[in-house]
Amino acid sequence: LACLASVSELDYADYRVLLVDNASDDGTAVTVKSRYPGTIVIRNEQNLGYAEGNNVGIRYALDHGYDYVYIMNNDTIVDSACLRSLVFDIQSEERIAAVAPMSFFYDLPGVIHFAGGRIGPGGETIHEGIGDLYDAGRWAPHDTEWLTGCAILFKSSALREVGLFDPQYFLLFEDVDWSLRARKIGARLRIVPDARLWHKVSPSFGGGWSAKYHYYYIRNHLRLIQLHHDRGSRLPKYFGTIRSSHRIIRHQVKGMSLEARFSRWKAMLQGIADFARQRFGERKS
């Protein structure tokens, strides 16, 4: 509801709001229709994950002739000038397929969460600017290697050419995968600092790096490497990703109960095993 309240203040003249309810059980769809009757609501009968859940809304927009599709997480708050700034930038050059706002931490509104994405030498996905205090003189609109799915404005024509999010990811890395597919056909991706958004960051995972998060992080990162890196470089990148996940868990489980520690190690091992089996989509117990 806080997200929709901010969207209602956008100063762009011509847009419609579509909410995809991914099988929530808390009355969200009814409440939204009551408070925001102009909102189009599509209710999924089951949780399709972030990738396919967004695809439901994207297909609706493409089928109904919208020129652009702007996806936003429900845990974001958008600045009133955000959409106008994004549309202005995306219209500036034909090869631009998608643009994104600069995002900030909701609880630290002057601290950057995402100012662009790049792929490191070991295949790691890096948030540019994360943790930095915003300095207007440092940032200008710029191209980037990948965009984070918390907020992306797509050209509909680019979605038709590149395709939608890959539902096999279910959660995590579907945004990076789409970005890399777009860049392979020569499309440009951009960050627009004048467009701003504040992100509450992953409450849907049960508090950040939960066992669920660790499972999808390791499995999907390995899948991303498999699909987008040269065959000869994959093996060291696989091992590097596993080592990195191991270090993260070792650091995060300090002070946790034995049960909490076990759930995270188990999730990581299951993620590796499911990748080896090429078993994707929603996590199976």
Side-chain angles (χ1 to χ4, degrees), residues 71-130:
I71 65 166
M72 289 175 57
N73 276 17
N74 64 340
D75 62 343
T76 58
I77 302 295
V78 65
D79 181 71
S80 61
C82 184
L83 187 54
R84 174 168 46 85
S85 298
L86 292 174
V87 172
F88 180 82
D89 193 88
I90 206 171
Q91 290 178 337
S92 65
E93 210 267 282
E94 185 177 354
R95 290 190 304 118
I96 299 174
V99 297
M102 182 172 285
S103 69
F104 299 84
F105 288 98
Y106 179 79
D107 293 330
L108 299 167
V111 178
I112 295 170
H113 174 248
F114 185 80
R118 56 188 175 88
I119 306 295
E124 63 272 26
T125 53
I126 300 167
H127 279 219
E128 293 183 335
I130 188 168

Side-chain angles (χ1 to χ4, degrees), residues 122 218 221-222 225 236-246:
I218 185 68
H221 200 173
L222 294 171
I225 291 169
K237 289 176 181 176
Y238 289 154
F239 283 117
T241 297
I242 293 169
R243 283 196 302 270
S244 175
S245 294
H246 177 265

Side-chain angles (χ1 to χ4, degrees), residues 45-58:
E45 293 302 317
Q46 65 185 78
N47 182 355
L48 302 178
Y50 186 80
E52 187 59 22
N54 269 303
N55 286 346
V56 169
I58 292 170

Side-chain angles (χ1 to χ4, degrees), residues 130-151:
I130 188 168
D132 292 349
L133 284 172
Y134 177 68
D135 176 0
R138 175 183 171 189
W139 299 100
H142 59 278
D143 284 23
T144 188
E145 292 188 54
W146 59 273
L147 299 172
T148 178
C150 81

